Structure formats: structure tokens, C-alpha cells
Amino acid sequence: DTGVSQNPRHKITKRGQNVTFRCDPISEHNRLYWYRQTLGQGPEFLTYFQNEAQLEKSRLLSDRFSAERPKGSFSTLEIQRTEQGDSAMYLCASSSRQENTEAFFGQGTRLTVV
Amino acid sequence: DAKTTQPNSMESNEEEPVHLPCNHSTISGTDYIHWYRQLPSQGPEYVIHGLTSNVNNRMASLAIAEDRKSSTLILHRATLRDAAVYYCILRFDSNYQLIWGAGTKLIIKP
């Protein structure tokens, strides 16, 4: 297993365009998390899946953001009508069903909205 | 959500021990203390976690105050590869929705 994989690593898009990011978690992990991180700040929680169910969404996740995890495997995060304020690193993490276990993070997708 | 307070940055010499403090005065009885670190252009990496007792693993040690209102991450012999931002976060249940602060930027001097 190569760990959590995120694609693409970098994305440059024009304001108003839609973008979609993909996260492939560690195969046996049933929990998946999305975070956003801006320069000099810690990660901000966006949303959490347990298997295919989206159990928690942050207020940061506006109507332009949507996340899915069909079949409880990979997940996608879509941002519609991107704005310059969406420019950030988008991180995905996964963990097993055990309580208080460590989370494994991907290397992130860096989004730049121009 | 309980918050943590960490110094913005710390410096240490290579091959010396490093003590990274974290204050969490509003911690609840069910909050675990987790530490992660983030190297430049990488995702965060798990370091260690604990509840009440001090913990050791191959990467570091975690010393937790008796009242649990503070903790210290100890790197026993820092190397240049330990230069990173270190985050102390509190986690309850199985979710990672708690607030991450800005962390401590650790600078290792050769």
C-alpha cells in the first residue's frame, strides 16, 4: 500500500471554473477526511466520511463545495464557480475504524485560482 | 471545542533534545492529546498521542501534566530532518474536526 493518494498535486484554474479533486485512501480505512490549509495556518476541517456516509460537514463548506465517497472507497471534492479565496492546499486523510487511531494524510492538492 | 496554545517557533541545535510545549487548559476528560508534524510541501504526519500517562514511541516521547492542562513533545536527539511545523491538537471520539492551531515551527541548527 502506498498510503493516501491525492490527484492532481497542483491545479491552476480561472475564477468561475469548476474543479474536482480525488482522494484514494488506504484501502482498509473506512474513515476519510477532507481539510483545507492556507499558508502559515494549520489544517481546517471540511468534511468527514465513514464508509460512504458523509457524517459531518464544517460551516466552511459552502454550497459551492460538495464531496462524495461512492461505495466507501475513493472520494472526490468538487468546488463550483471557484473564487480567489478558494486558493489553498486541500488535504485528504484516512484512518481505520479503531478509536483514536492515527490519521494518514495525503500530500495534498494545491489549488490556485487566478 | 477545546483549543491548544503553542509557541510560534523554536530553535534547537542538531543532536540535542527538543521540548515542544502545548497548553490546553480547557481540555475535557475524554480528549486525547495528539501531535502531528508537517514538513514543507507535505501532508501532516502522525507523531504520537496520549490520554493521561506519558507515552514513548520510536519518534518521540509525550509528557502529559498531571492536571492534563499542558503537555510536552520531546524529541530526544533532533536531526535536520526533524525541522517541521509541529501541531498539538485535542481529539475526542473518532473525528478529526477539532481546531488545529498554527503550530510551532521547529528550526534545527547544524
Side-chain angles (χ1 to χ4, degrees):
Chain A
D1 197 327
T2 56
V4 178
S5 177
Q6 291 189 247
N7 288 289
R9 292 290 311 278
H10 303 274
K11 179 70 177 179
I12 300 173
T13 191
K14 290 184 178 179
R15 191 172 46 189
Q17 297 294 304
N18 298 344
V19 293
T20 299
F21 310 140
R22 177 178 171 125
C23 172
D24 287 274
I26 293 173
S27 57
E28 63 268 26
H29 285 179
N30 69 328
R31 303 176 197 273
L32 186 146
Y33 314 83
W34 284 98
Y35 291 84
R36 181 174 67 188
Q37 186 176 28
T38 53
L39 201 61
Q41 301 299 314
E44 297 174 294
F45 170 79
L46 292 179
T47 190
Y48 157 62
F49 289 85
Q50 186 167 308
N51 298 313
E52 66 275 11
Q54 188 174 18
L55 298 185
E56 200 73 37
K57 286 173 62 172
S58 164
R59 284 170 289 182
L60 294 173
L61 217 63
S62 76
D63 291 344
R64 297 185 297 105
F65 287 70
S66 63
E68 294 183 341
R69 193 183 182 197
K71 303 178 184 178
S73 55
F74 71 91
S75 176
T76 58
L77 178 68
E78 181 184 15
I79 309 174
Q80 295 182 326
R81 306 181 303 281
T82 52
E83 302 173 355
Q84 285 189 321
D86 297 331
S87 296
M89 175 76 83
Y90 289 84
L91 293 163
C92 175
S94 70
S95 68
S96 72
R97 64 179 69 248
Q98 287 181 311
E99 295 295 320
N100 267 293
T101 187
E102 64 189 278
F104 293 82
F105 282 80
Q107 293 194 310
T109 294
R110 179 164 297 284
L111 173 66
T112 303
V113 181
V114 297
Chain B
D1 293 333
K3 290 189 179 182
T4 62
T5 305
Q6 299 177 255
N8 290 333
S9 66
M10 290 183 64
E11 286 189 2
S12 181
N13 294 319
E14 195 176 10
E15 298 188 5
E16 289 186 357
V18 179
H19 290 234
L20 296 166
C22 181
N23 288 318
H24 27 79
S25 58
T26 59
I27 191 170
S28 74
T30 54
D31 286 338
Y32 280 74
I33 302 158
H34 287 248
W35 283 82
Y36 281 75
R37 71 180 186 181
Q38 188 172 25
L39 278 65
S41 301
Q42 302 286 322
E45 173 190 31
Y46 168 82
V47 178
I48 200 166
H49 78 278
L51 183 62
T52 56
S53 303
N54 295 343
V55 185
N56 300 299
N57 67 19
R58 63 175 179 82
M59 288 181 72
S61 296
L62 176 61
I64 301 173
E66 197 169 333
D67 63 5
R68 300 208 329 123
K69 293 186 176 181
S70 66
S71 61
T72 302
L73 179 70
I74 303 164
L75 306 179
H76 294 287
R77 197 162 166 262
T79 70
L80 295 177
R81 288 177 295 180
D82 292 321
V85 177
Y86 286 79
Y87 295 98
C88 166
I89 61 172
L90 303 181
R91 183 186 175 201
F92 64 90
D93 197 359
S94 299
N95 296 335
Y96 273 94
Q97 60 184 293
L98 298 180
I99 299 170
W100 295 51
T104 297
K105 182 175 182 179
L106 177 62
I107 299 165
I108 305 296
K109 296 181 288 184

